[in-house]
């Protein structure tokens, strides 16, 4: 039973194995989060994505605690459930915009691209609070830096979306 539970935590932490891909497992985890986010949105809308973020954070923190313990690393590179939660946060403005304007989620594809690029940028460069969270050196820090990077990216996506609409109205 203990081995099965460990396997379950490993599968969650690696988001079904996406974190085992090389190079750049965080990028693979972020990419894997995109089609799952689309499926959640199609089936449940933005509220489902919010629930997904909460669940990924809660269960992901527990899975990350397990992986930190068994890998003897404070930030195991194969753990990407944190990227999934952060990427989903970055997508919230796109999800809400599509819902608000009653358009298909993929019709706002520039927002999906911006959410991915900005999230990876903030996750890799770790500005401000992202870097401070990462420096915690524990499972919560592993999760928290990506949640903050996702929030930064969501802010960027919202600004870019507003600029896009403004420019579209002017021309």
């Amino acid at each position: 039973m203990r081995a099965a539970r460990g396997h379950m935590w490993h599968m969650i932490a690696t988001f079904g194995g996406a974190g085992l891909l090389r190079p750049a497992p965080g990028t693979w985890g972020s990419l894997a989060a995109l089609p799952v986010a689309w499926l959640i949105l199609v089936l449940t809308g933005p509220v489902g994505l919010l629930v997904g973020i909460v669940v990924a954070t809660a269960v992901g923190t527990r899975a990350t605690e397990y992986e930190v313990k068994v890998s003897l690393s404070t930030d195991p590179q194969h753990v990407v459930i944190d990227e999934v939660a952060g990427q989903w946060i970055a997508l919230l403005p796109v999800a809400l915009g599509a819902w608000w304007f009653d358009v298909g989620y993929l019709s706002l594809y520039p927002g999906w691209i911006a959410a991915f690029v900005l999230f990876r940028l903030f996750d890799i460069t770790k500005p401000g609070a992202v870097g401070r969270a990462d420096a915690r050196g524990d499972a919560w820090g592993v999760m928290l830096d990506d949640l903050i990077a996702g929030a930064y990216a969501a802010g960027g996506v919202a600004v870019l979306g507003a600029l896009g609409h403004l420019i579209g109205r002017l021309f």
Side-chain angles (χ1 to χ4, degrees), residues 6-35:
H7 179 69
M8 176 190 72
W9 291 128
H10 183 72
M11 290 303 291
I12 292 167
T14 63
F15 199 58
L20 303 175
L21 298 172
R22 298 289 183 264
T27 299
W28 288 110
S30 296
L31 281 171
L34 296 175

Side-chain angles (χ1 to χ4, degrees), residues 15 31-42 49 84 88 91 112:
F15 199 58
L31 281 171
L34 296 175
V36 177
W38 174 80
L39 185 61
I40 291 169
L41 287 168
V42 168
L49 189 60
V84 172
W88 289 353
L91 287 169
W112 287 78

Side-chain angles (χ1 to χ4, degrees), residues 89-90 93-94 110-111 114-115 118-119 122 149-164:
I89 290 170
V94 178
L118 289 173
F119 173 68
F122 292 129
Y152 284 5
V157 169
V159 167
L160 290 172
L163 286 173

Side-chain angles (χ1 to χ4, degrees), residues 31-141:
L31 281 171
L34 296 175
V36 177
W38 174 80
L39 185 61
I40 291 169
L41 287 168
V42 168
L43 295 176
T44 64
V47 171
L49 189 60
L50 280 169
V51 169
I53 292 164
V54 170
V55 169
T57 300
V59 176
T61 301
R62 177 62 184 97
T64 301
E65 287 171 348
Y66 173 83
E67 289 297 318
V68 164
K69 181 179 175 182
V70 300
S71 72
L72 304 176
S73 170
T74 59
D75 190 2
Q77 296 303 299
H78 62 275
V79 172
V80 295
I81 191 65
D82 52 330
E83 272 83 10
V84 172
Q87 185 63 71
W88 289 353
I89 290 170
L91 287 169
L92 280 174
V94 178
L96 293 170
W99 172 78
W100 182 261
F101 292 106
D102 195 27
V103 297
Y105 293 107
L106 295 181
S107 69
L108 299 181
Y109 71 90
W112 287 78
I113 295 167
F116 176 77
V117 170
L118 289 173
F119 173 68
R120 292 308 301 145
L121 176 70
F122 292 129
D123 186 29
I124 292 166
T125 62
K126 303 199 181 310
V130 180
R132 286 191 296 279
D134 185 60
R136 287 177 52 108
D138 60 6
W140 183 237

